[in-house]
Amino acid sequence: MAETIRKSRDVHIVTHIDADGISAGAIAAKTLKRLGKEYSLECVKQLDEMVLKRLLDENHGLVWFTDLGSGVSTSYPEINKVITDHHMCPNDSDFSFHLNPHLFGRDGSYDMSGAGATYLVAKAMDKKNVDLSALAIVGACGDLQDKKFCKLSGTNREILKDGEKAGVLLGRMDIRYFGRETRPIAKLLQYSNDPFIPGLSRREDACISFLQDCGIRLKDDDYWRKWIDLEKKERQKIISAIAQILLTKGFGYNIAERLVGEIYILKNEEQGTELHDAKEFATLLNSTARYGQHEVGLNVCLGDRDEWLKKARNLLRGHRANLVEGLQFAKEEEIQKRTFLQFFHAKDGIRDTIIGIVTNMLLSSEDVDNSLPLMGFAYTENGDVKVSARATQVLIDKGLNLSSALKQAAKELGGAGGGHDIAAGATIPKGKEEEFIKLVEKEIKNQLVL
Ligand code: C5P
Ligand code: C5P
Ligand code: ZN
């Protein structure tokens, strides 16, 4: 694969619109740049027939698909391509141009991300590209690959080791909540969702009183203290108090244990910024490409710390507001329960590009019964319906596979779907929602019985 890339003159990168996609695209772009090659890059929501036909017409020397493409690896042989992806895929692929953990019997939902697969190719092309491991870890965190074990595992750990050796990354144990570097402590707790803290999550006043009861100073003059500003003793006190709440509410040791896990620092970035923590970096990227502004995230990944970063931070404010609003909207929509799944329909109330994030957050909140998978529907600009489905590890262990269920159900209705066992998506024609639900239920029923 490295050889094919090296030999090609004009390379067109096609990547996905999320944080992993942008990180993967940036790794590919930087690798080509370092080789002195011409390249172009585009971001797509999904790789459908329309995109593929256009790519065929555009007649690029080589198309490098990153964080997508595995599903179509055997179609369109006329397109000269390489694929670095991690979505579930058929096993009949030609390894010479396709890298995906599933082809090695590994699970792409936590072993390696699209950025990770792209990084391995970059490293194979030139050992000097090991510094790009930082972006690979940002991509993995963007796809929540640390969620299963509260730390990265499998190939991701090898990539982390590369980064630590190269001096660009550091993994260490800390609280797993989002916003350690940039959020006032009360906000970090208010927006906590894995684990959700009954009585505190989503309740600003309760978080403030809780911290005051723990004897934590919220401000130094006008400055709101962040998690990283706290002393070790203060951090330990908060963690023990939250664990206590979880245990007394009957959540059990397994849940309380999820409070602490491995977090990833990008050592060359400034402390106290969104770029210093891999999860926060990933959210910054999600704020760009999911709103049609992928070039903003891409330029930040490629090293801009000036105008593009400023733009990204502005977009981040909008993204945060959209998530809060989307979550509120979804909560007000009634969640309808069926035998094998539950769902809500946001119609035009939530953007199709963030319905997956909202569905995810909702499933980990106390408002939703997590013994059933959750599907969120939203209308797209093209007049179709986007579906995002999420489940818990407990259901996966029972045999649930959302990727194959959604793929099959969407296919029967003339749509397309796929993803991972624990998180999948699909696009289906408008008006087919009820039929889709029934088909997905049928698939899930079979999976759980088998
Ligand atoms: O397209 P892609 O593979 O990049 O997206 C992965 C999706 O899977 C993310 O939206 C992430 O939130 C979700 N995921 C999850 N739970 C996991 C692993 C991934 O919800 N344990
Ligand atoms: O969009 P969402 O975050 O719900 O996607 C969940 C997972 O399903 C992602 O890995 C995404 O790439 C995948 N997906 C897919 N085909 C679709 C929609 C989503 O493979 N049509
Ligand atoms: Zn991905």
Side-chain angles (χ1 to χ4, degrees):
M1 191 181 313
E3 209 37 50
T4 313
I5 298 169
R6 222 175 257 125
K7 277 198 307 220
S8 303
R9 266 193 305 124
D10 133 57
V11 185
H12 183 61
I13 304 163
V14 180
T15 195
H16 196 204
I17 56 153
D18 66 2
D20 185 30
I22 297 291
S23 309
I27 293 171
K30 205 135 190 182
T31 303
L32 295 169
K33 230 181 194 174
R34 286 174 178 174
L35 285 171
K37 283 193 183 295
E38 290 285 314
Y39 72 88
S40 48
L41 183 147
E42 70 172 303
C43 275
V44 297
K45 280 190 200 174
Q46 73 228 17
L47 206 51
D48 52 28
E49 287 293 315
M50 219 164 67
V51 175
L52 286 162
K53 284 199 180 112
R54 174 173 52 75
L55 289 170
L56 188 62
D57 284 346
E58 286 170 358
N59 199 22
H60 300 282
L62 179 71
V63 181
W64 187 348
F65 292 104
T66 64
D67 193 33
L68 39 73
S70 282
V72 297
S73 71
T74 48
S75 43
Y76 289 88
E78 311 91 320
I79 301 177
N80 190 27
K81 55 180 157 324
V82 291
I83 302 169
T84 46
D85 189 9
H86 68 129
H87 292 97
M88 293 192 89
C89 62
N91 280 335
D92 58 348
S93 187
D94 181 340
F95 286 66
S96 66
F97 68 88
H98 184 189
L99 180 65
N100 182 317
H102 290 284
L103 300 175
F104 298 89
R106 293 175 171 227
D107 187 328
S109 68
Y110 58 88
D111 180 75
M112 189 207 304
S113 69
T118 311
Y119 165 76
L120 292 185
V121 171
K123 184 181 157 190
M125 295 184 71
D126 190 339
K127 285 271 177 301
K128 283 195 198 122
N129 288 330
V130 282
D131 61 329
L132 302 179
S133 54
L135 285 174
I137 296 304
V138 169
C141 289
D143 271 4
L144 310 185
Q145 301 214 316
D146 60 327
K147 195 169 163 183
K148 187 169 180 175
F149 301 111
C150 292
K151 63 177 186 184
L152 292 171
S153 58
T155 311
N156 277 322
R157 288 213 82 71
E158 301 301 313
I159 300 174
L160 172 66
K161 267 190 228 153
D162 278 357
E164 289 186 329
K165 247 194 255 160
V168 293
L169 279 169
L170 175 71
R172 64 171 171 77
M173 301 302 277
D174 201 345
I175 199 160
R176 289 181 58 244
Y177 290 137
F178 181 85
R180 289 172 31 264
E181 302 260 350
T182 64
R183 273 193 172 161
I185 331 155
K187 291 269 170 216
L188 175 127
L189 296 185
Q190 185 188 339
Y191 291 105
S192 53
N193 76 341
D194 178 17
F196 190 88
I197 322 167
L200 292 187
S201 300
R202 314 273 157 75
R203 297 183 190 173
E204 188 175 16
D205 292 350
C207 291
I208 292 173
S209 333
F210 165 79
L211 289 167
Q212 283 165 343
D213 291 346
C214 288
I216 307 293
R217 217 170 53 252
L218 297 180
K219 274 175 118 177
D220 278 336
D221 299 325
D222 280 343
Y223 175 80
W224 289 97
R225 298 173 79 209
K226 316 291 183 313
W227 184 262
I228 52 165
D229 300 318
L230 300 183
E231 283 166 29
K232 195 172 174 190
K233 260 197 203 147
E234 295 178 298
R235 295 199 294 261
Q236 281 169 342
K237 195 159 192 182
I238 297 173
I239 291 173
S240 319
I242 299 174
Q244 198 61 44
I245 295 178
L246 292 169
L247 293 173
T248 45
K249 297 265 177 190
F251 277 79
Y253 188 66
N254 284 352
I255 302 284
E257 222 180 20
R258 295 188 65 80
L259 267 174
V260 173
E262 201 169 50
I263 57 100
Y264 305 98
I265 303 285
L266 277 81
K267 288 177 71 179
N268 292 342
E269 304 297 339
E270 195 184 326
Q271 177 159 341
T273 67
E274 297 84 359
L275 307 176
H276 197 236
D277 172 86
K279 265 193 213 174
E280 293 205 51
F281 196 140
T283 297
L284 188 73
L285 297 182
N286 272 327
S287 315
T288 65
R290 288 182 192 260
Y291 298 87
Q293 308 242 21
H294 75 266
E295 73 284 2
V296 179
L298 185 71
N299 278 301
V300 172
C301 287
L302 294 178
D304 182 278
R305 297 291 174 264
D306 198 12
E307 282 306 307
W308 293 108
L309 179 57
K310 217 185 273 170
K311 278 188 190 157
R313 285 187 170 137
N314 280 335
L315 289 168
L316 178 62
R317 270 194 286 277
H319 180 49
R320 277 196 187 139
N322 282 338
L323 290 185
V324 172
E325 220 176 86
L327 209 53
Q328 191 56 34
F329 184 90
K331 266 168 74 178
E332 281 161 19
E333 284 298 301
E334 211 178 316
I335 292 183
Q336 300 189 45
K337 275 194 184 178
R338 298 284 166 89
T339 317
F340 293 99
L341 57 80
Q342 54 192 335
F343 68 94
F344 66 98
H345 203 318
K347 306 207 169 86
D348 288 315
I350 301 176
R351 266 174 186 262
D352 62 325
T353 53
I354 61 164
I355 187 82
I357 305 181
V358 174
T359 306
N360 217 329
M361 288 163 87
L362 210 56
L363 188 63
S364 37
S365 76
E366 70 179 351
D367 314 314
V368 174
D369 166 14
N370 68 6
S371 66
L372 287 174
L374 177 65
M375 293 207 300
F377 292 89
Y379 292 148
T380 72
E381 286 164 350
N382 307 343
D384 292 322
V385 178
K386 168 72 202 295
V387 193
S388 278
R390 298 292 187 270
T392 59
Q393 190 58 43
V394 176
L395 288 165
I396 305 311
D397 295 341
K398 287 184 183 158
L400 178 77
N401 186 329
L402 289 175
S403 174
S404 51
L406 266 70
K407 187 175 178 180
Q408 183 57 32
K411 203 168 137 196
E412 287 187 37
L413 300 174
H420 309 285
D421 52 10
I422 200 160
T427 307
I428 57 168
K430 215 174 196 168
K432 298 274 186 190
E433 291 91 324
E434 186 54 42
E435 264 179 86
F436 183 73
I437 291 164
K438 292 212 169 81
L439 287 168
V440 173
E441 276 213 289
K442 198 174 99 194
E443 293 295 322
I444 295 180
K445 186 178 173 190
N446 286 337
Q447 292 173 352
L448 298 179
V449 165
L450 284 174

